[in-house]
Amino acid sequence: MTVKVAVLTSGGDAPGMNAAIRAVIRSGLLAGYEMFAIFEGFRGIIENKIVSVDRTFVSEIIMRGGTILKTARFPEFRDSKVVEKAAENLRFYGITHLIVIGGDGSYRGAYALSKHGIKIIGIPATIDNDVMGTEQTIGFDTALNTITEAVDKLRDTSSSHHRCSIIEVMGNRCGDLALYSGTACGVDLIISPEYRPSEEEIIETLKNINLNRARHALVIVSEKQFEDLEKLRERIVEETGFDAKIEVLGRIQRGGSPTASDRVLAGRLGVYAIDLIAKGIDNVCVGLVDGRLRHHAIAEVTKSTNPNLDELLNVIDKLK
Ligand code: F6P
C-alpha cells in the first residue's frame, strides 16, 4: 500500500518555506509516497483543505517568499478534541505521516497530533531562530540580511541628521535577530533578552558616543523589551544630545526572496525529513547541529528554547 505523507506550514511565515515544501514534495514523490498538501496550517486539516499533489505543484517556487500553502495561527489546536478531530480527518485520507514546517508553536501542535497516532516530522522554519534542536532555522538568514540592508540605509540618514535611530527588530523573545544584525551592522548598542543594559547604561553610552563627536548612533532593540519604547526615545532626546527616532521594521523582515543559504538549508532539511520516513523514523524534528543534519525526539524539542550564544556575546563585547 502506498504510504501517504502530508505537508503543511504553520505559524508566522518565513522566507524559504516554499523551498522546504518543494524539497519535501519532490523527494517524497521520488521515494514512492503519495504526497498531500494541506493549506492554512492546522486549521486546514480541520477544514479539509487537503489535496494530493504532483511534482509540478511546486514548480517555480524555490525563489518565492511567503508560503504557497498559506499559514495560520490556530490557538484552537490547544484543545485535545480539536486535535483528535484533525487526526481523524488525516486518517480519512489515509495519511499516516505529517511534515510540519514552522516554529516552536507549530511543533507543539505537531507533538499533540503525534499523541493521536499521526507520525510527525518537524522542519524548523521561523525568522526568530528560536527552535531547539537546530543551530539555524529556515528564514533566519534572509531576515538577517533584510535587517542589515535596512540598518545600513538608516545609518546614512541618521548621520545626515545627527540622529539616534532606535531600530526594533522581531524575534519573539529570542535575541538572535538583534544580536546577529547588530554585529553585522556594527551598531552602537544592542538590547535583547540576552544582552540587556539598564536604561541608565543606555543613556550613559549614548551620551559618551555624542561627546566623542559621533555623527549618529544606531541602537538595535529586540521587540517586546520595553513597555513603552517612546519613553526611552524621549529620554535620549532630552539627555544625550542626539535627536532620536524609532524605526519598527515589522513584517518586512518576514518577506522577500530567500537567500541562497536559506534555500539550501530548506532543501537539505526537506530531503532529510523524507529520508527519515523511509528509515521508519518518526516523531522527530530535523535540524543542523555543528553543520550536520540531525534529528531529535519532538517531545524533547518542545520542552524549552534557546541555543548557546556565549561566543557571539563575547564578539559583541569586544567590538563595541
Ligand atoms: O514568529 C515569527 C514572528 O515574526 C515573531 O518575530 C513575531 O513576534 C511574530 O511572528 C508576529 O506574529 P504575527 O504576524 O502573527 O503578529
Side-chain angles (χ1 to χ4, degrees), residues 42-316:
F42 293 107
R43 192 172 64 210
I45 309 179
I46 298 295
E47 295 176 0
N48 288 307
K49 293 182 173 161
I50 304 174
V51 292
S52 176
V53 293
D54 64 11
R55 76 189 306 279
T56 61
F57 177 77
V58 289
S59 296
E60 308 294 328
I61 65 166
I62 196 167
M63 66 303 190
R64 279 168 57 189
T67 158
I68 60 161
L69 297 184
K70 316 280 186 234
T71 180
R73 301 208 189 266
F74 189 48
E76 292 84 343
F77 217 63
R78 292 198 193 107
D79 180 344
S80 70
K81 287 199 190 81
V82 179
V83 179
E84 174 55 34
K85 174 79 183 119
E88 264 171 36
N89 283 7
L90 291 172
R91 274 194 284 273
F92 173 81
Y93 287 86
I95 294 167
T96 49
H97 294 74
L98 177 66
I99 297 181
V100 173
I101 303 172
D104 54 352
S106 312
Y107 277 14
R108 281 191 288 277
Y111 182 43
L113 255 178
S114 73
K115 291 184 181 159
H116 290 266
I118 301 298
K119 295 174 172 162
I120 295 291
I121 309 272
I123 297 183
T126 161
I127 63 164
D128 299 335
N129 209 33
D130 61 348
V131 179
M132 282 292 287
T134 188
E135 54 210 15
Q136 195 165 326
T137 56
I138 298 165
F140 175 67
D141 186 62
T142 307
L144 185 56
N145 280 286
T146 301
I147 297 169
T148 302
E149 201 183 324
V151 175
D152 287 349
K153 288 179 176 164
L154 285 167
R155 179 188 287 270
D156 295 342
T157 175
S158 304
S159 280
S160 310
H161 290 265
H162 190 65
R163 188 169 272 166
C164 170
S165 287
I166 308 158
I167 305 148
E168 187 190 280
V169 300
M170 281 185 162
N172 195 22
R173 304 190 196 285
C174 169
D176 283 19
L177 281 173
L179 295 166
Y180 281 81
S181 63
T183 307
C185 297
V187 301
D188 301 290
L189 253 181
I190 302 170
I191 306 169
S192 80
E194 307 80 359
Y195 199 86
R196 189 71 170 83
S198 69
E199 221 167 288
E200 293 315 313
E201 285 165 335
I202 296 169
I203 297 295
E204 262 329 287
T205 305
L206 293 174
K207 261 189 201 165
N208 287 333
I209 291 170
N210 190 41
L211 286 176
N212 288 332
R213 300 186 186 283
R215 284 170 299 167
H216 61 251
L218 295 173
V219 180
I220 290 198
V221 190
S222 283
E223 62 178 356
K224 304 178 187 174
Q225 294 305 296
F226 291 87
E227 263 179 32
D228 189 356
L229 197 53
E230 174 58 21
K231 285 210 179 103
L232 177 65
R233 187 197 73 82
E234 283 165 13
R235 272 198 76 181
I236 292 172
V237 174
E238 278 158 24
E239 298 177 39
T240 69
F242 280 114
D243 179 25
K245 296 279 181 198
I246 297 170
E247 312 289 350
V248 179
L249 298 189
R251 288 171 189 75
I252 279 178
Q253 295 161 92
R254 291 222 301 250
S257 177
T259 57
S261 162
D262 272 331
R263 297 180 202 191
V264 172
L265 179 62
R268 292 176 74 194
L269 293 177
V271 169
Y272 184 51
I274 293 290
D275 284 349
L276 290 178
I277 293 178
K279 287 184 184 149
I281 298 170
D282 47 59
N283 295 337
V284 294
C285 299
V286 297
L288 269 194
V289 178
D290 294 333
R292 310 190 71 143
L293 295 168
R294 292 280 180 265
H295 58 275
H296 299 92
I298 190 160
E300 292 303 311
V301 174
T302 43
K303 265 190 205 154
S304 60
T305 52
N306 195 37
N308 186 348
L309 283 169
D310 291 351
E311 197 264 342
L312 183 67
L313 293 178
N314 178 40
V315 171
I316 291 169

